[in-house]
Amino acid sequence: MVPVLVVFSQSHVDFRIPEFEAICSMLSIRVKNMNSINTENHMFVLHFENRLDVTKLLSRSILIKFAISLSVEAQSYEQLFHELKNKPEVIENYDVPDESFALRFFAIGRKKKLDSIERIKMFLEAVQFNHAPICLISPVNEFYLVEEYDHPTDENPRKIFFGKLWGEGRSELKTKYNLRERCYIGNTTMDPELSFIQVGFPMHLCSLIEHLKANLAMVQPGNLVFDPFVGTGGLILPAAEFGGYVMGTEINYQTARAKGRSSRQGVGERHESESIRANFEQYYTEARFQNDKLLSIVIADSSKHAIWSSNAKFDVIVADPPYGVREKARKTVKNKKSDANEDYIQYQQKEDYDLEAAFCDLLNLAAMALVMNGRVSFWYPVILEKYCSENLPTHPAMELLSNCEQPLTRKTSRRLLSYRKVREPIANEECEIRKTGVSHYRDCLFSSNKKENC
Ligand SMILES: C[S@@+](CC[C@H](N)C(=O)[O-])C[C@H]1O[C@@H](n2cnc3c(N)ncnc32)[C@H](O)[C@@H]1O
């Protein structure tokens, strides 16, 4: 086994272990000491079978910053230089005229910024490269000197690591998909990093089921992914990036067609070039990717399951249903004025859509419209005081795979829930939410008078 220093992002730490475990399971990567990963520290020396496994892991992780093949680990610089003297091959193997190099410095756990140039100078005085030219922009070999501190105010690091960079995770995706430069966004467009975590999750997790490994282990081009509350399409973009064919329903015509006032400050009316499709064109610049991943945005009420034929089967459903804070859940109702033609039902009026009903409908839809072993993943708001995992939505045909928390305020958070369809539902089987506060989520957030409901 080879020791590798894996450095994680410090954001969304609750998602760290599920993401790591799921990727390893999906890609059959064996890590000897996986249990040492926790959410308090942000880097770990992990033991992998080979470099290829590390590369595979990095290719799918949003939450790993980078991984270094660990050559030396020490408690002081004196010890580090001594160890490197005893292992000359660590430098000699790369100290050749036709391979440029760079040395980077990284410290974790310390508040005060350290002078990285000083550290690099000090290292290169003690450990000399005699033949390899320095190249900071695109070096052939990139080395890392990493200091780990126990406490933010400590003067001396607890540990110092040295090794060669093996690669970086996919955090660049959150930059590529940043909202500032995205053609069309709305008030509730999903944060790019979280959307990649969410869309990656159910797809990773499917492979936890041993017998599925052969055909569902990775997102295959051709996976059909559906977002019933599609909004501006913030969740289906990453699904397409991972190879899915995507579609969504949206009840609000203005949102689905990018009409009305822009949510960008001071911009006024939306420009006609803004649309969900334009977002796809922005990111899929290669002609063969343009548009063909986005199948359709249907203006429809996702609570009306009858819009789907019984043959409609999705591989994955992703959703961020509205919790009534920045966006209300709405549903269509039959027009109050009866129509002359009795058989013709008009769904024209809209009314508030109870949150509990919305989540039940979503899980019922998943049980009905997912392929066997298909996955659904959605955000579920909770009042912290009232949270209890037993009260999360359940459905006899759906198995809860993961439940991760993103804190929102002092009183609330939301949980990313992922389920797998384990069998076809039988007649009258429905989603159940045992004791829910979810319908009162908005009231609890904004009102102190309605405490009895919270
Ligand atoms: C939280 S937003 C989703 C944001 C989306 N993930 C994005 O990145 O833009 C919820 C969306 O669901 C829509 N919605 C509310 N009730 C709906 C319903 N019954 N059927 C379909 N869409 C609905 C809202 O209009 C809103 O655009």
Side-chain angles (χ1 to χ4, degrees):
M1 297 291 260
V2 284
V4 178
L5 182 70
V6 179
V7 180
F8 285 88
S9 152
Q10 296 181 34
S11 62
H12 307 306
V13 291
D14 201 41
F15 299 88
R16 177 183 292 167
I17 297 172
E19 188 204 55
F20 190 94
E21 287 180 347
I23 300 174
C24 289
S25 167
M26 171 176 76
L27 302 177
S28 305
I29 298 168
R30 220 160 64 78
V31 182
K32 200 173 118 197
N33 53 337
M34 195 186 293
N35 292 346
S36 61
I37 304 175
N38 59 51
T39 52
E40 276 82 53
N41 303 322
H42 304 296
M43 61 187 183
F44 306 91
V45 178
L46 302 172
H47 296 265
F48 291 79
E49 277 180 344
N50 50 50
R51 179 170 184 170
L52 184 62
D53 279 355
V54 179
T55 308
K56 286 195 292 187
L57 171 70
L58 293 171
S59 75
R60 288 304 302 263
S61 175
I62 305 297
L63 294 175
I64 296 178
K65 275 176 182 268
F66 54 87
I68 294 163
S69 156
L70 191 60
S71 302
V72 178
E73 180 179 339
Q75 256 129 30
S76 65
Y77 275 98
E78 206 184 5
Q79 189 191 353
L80 185 86
F81 296 143
H82 179 75
E83 301 241 340
L84 278 170
K85 241 187 208 128
N86 290 337
K87 286 183 173 180
E89 70 283 0
V90 170
I91 303 296
E92 278 172 13
N93 285 350
Y94 303 100
D95 190 16
V96 288
D98 53 355
E99 288 190 17
S100 58
F101 83 100
L103 175 65
R104 319 257 186 232
F105 174 74
F106 184 80
I108 199 158
R110 195 168 193 269
K111 218 172 193 170
K112 224 167 114 197
K113 239 180 158 226
L114 292 157
D115 187 342
S116 47
I117 308 238
E118 271 306 306
R119 289 289 205 279
I120 289 170
K121 263 194 191 159
M122 186 248 303
F123 183 93
L124 290 178
E125 270 163 24
V127 180
Q128 282 172 10
F129 282 77
N130 296 315
H131 308 289
I134 293 182
C135 171
L136 295 182
I137 296 167
S138 52
V140 177
N141 301 307
E142 213 165 331
F143 296 92
Y144 262 83
L145 184 61
V146 179
E147 290 182 359
E148 183 180 33
Y149 288 80
D150 261 343
H151 302 290
T153 49
D154 282 356
E155 271 309 310
N156 295 315
R158 185 175 74 90
K159 275 213 172 135
I160 307 163
F161 303 90
F162 177 77
K164 185 171 173 295
L165 182 74
W166 266 1
E168 294 175 355
R170 301 301 310 277
S171 63
E172 95 281 356
L173 287 171
K174 72 178 181 209
T175 315
K176 174 179 169 187
Y177 283 84
N178 78 75
L179 298 187
R180 212 164 17 88
E181 285 163 59
R182 189 174 301 175
C183 175
Y184 172 43
I185 58 160
N187 290 337
T188 56
T189 300
M190 178 55 81
D191 164 76
E193 187 172 23
L194 287 173
S195 67
F196 272 99
I197 291 171
Q198 174 171 10
V199 165
F201 255 24
M203 296 172 179
H204 296 323
L205 287 165
C206 66
S207 62
L208 292 177
I209 308 127
E210 207 48 40
H211 64 275
L212 279 180
K213 273 196 182 135
N215 55 353
L216 271 178
M218 289 189 78
V219 183
Q220 301 293 340
N223 254 187
L224 186 54
V225 183
F226 173 55
D227 182 349
F229 300 91
V230 77
T232 61
L235 283 176
I236 54 174
L237 272 173
E241 169 83 45
F242 281 165
Y245 284 84
V246 301
M247 60 183 297
T249 49
E250 169 57 52
I251 201 168
N252 186 324
Y253 174 85
Q254 304 265 92
T255 308
R257 295 290 176 260
K259 303 281 182 222
R261 287 188 76 75
S262 170
S263 43
R264 290 194 158 98
Q265 242 187 355
V267 170
E269 288 298 299
R270 285 202 169 101
H271 195 264
E272 59 185 30
S273 63
E274 289 177 50
S275 68
I276 295 178
R277 194 163 286 282
N279 285 350
F280 276 72
E281 284 163 8
Q282 180 181 351
Y283 298 114
Y284 298 100
T285 44
E286 276 182 58
R288 75 190 171 90
F289 284 139
Q290 273 187 19
N291 295 332
D292 69 352
K293 292 275 176 70
L294 175 61
L295 300 179
S296 161
I297 301 296
V298 184
I299 299 172
D301 174 356
S302 65
S303 72
K304 302 290 180 290
H305 296 171
I307 61 174
W308 301 109
S309 94
S310 55
N311 295 330
K313 293 286 178 214
F314 304 107
D315 298 296
V316 177
I317 296 176
V318 285
D320 176 27
Y323 326 133
V325 178
R326 278 180 293 170
E327 203 86 55
K328 267 192 167 181
R330 307 282 283 160
K331 66 190 285 190
T332 48
V333 285
K334 283 183 199 173
N335 201 335
K336 294 265 163 38
K337 283 184 212 137
S338 69
D339 198 271
N341 179 356
E342 292 276 300
D343 297 334
Y344 177 63
I345 304 169
Q346 293 181 71
Y347 290 110
Q348 284 183 347
Q349 294 190 343
K350 290 182 200 154
E351 63 177 26
D352 283 354
Y353 188 10
D354 176 69
L355 219 47
E356 179 172 333
F359 283 104
C360 282
D361 284 343
L362 180 57
L363 213 50
N364 289 335
L365 174 73
M368 178 192 88
L370 278 175
V371 295
M372 191 56 68
N373 292 308
R375 295 83 68 197
V376 60
S377 146
F378 55 88
W379 294 94
Y380 187 78
V382 296
I383 305 292
L384 294 178
E385 251 183 20
K386 293 283 149 192
Y387 173 70
C388 164
S389 61
E390 274 91 66
N391 295 338
L392 293 174
T394 57
H395 190 294
M398 305 294 297
E399 173 194 22
L400 182 66
L401 290 175
S402 77
N403 168 9
C404 299
E405 183 183 31
Q406 184 204 8
L408 292 178
T409 65
R410 231 166 9 91
K411 290 201 288 185
T412 63
S413 74
R414 61 178 176 174
R415 308 196 77 95
L416 180 58
L417 306 179
S418 301
Y419 298 78
R420 170 178 81 99
K421 176 167 167 175
V422 288
R423 62 168 171 78
E424 287 301 336
I426 37 187
N428 302 325
E429 270 185 344
E430 294 232 312
C431 167
E432 194 189 332
I433 304 183
R434 265 215 271 154
K435 187 169 168 248
T436 176
V438 77
S439 293
H440 306 297
Y441 178 78
R442 191 175 190 282
D443 293 343
C444 291
L445 206 58
F446 294 121
S447 159
S448 49
N449 307 330
K450 299 193 176 172
K451 282 236 165 75
E452 71 278 9
N453 285 331
C454 301

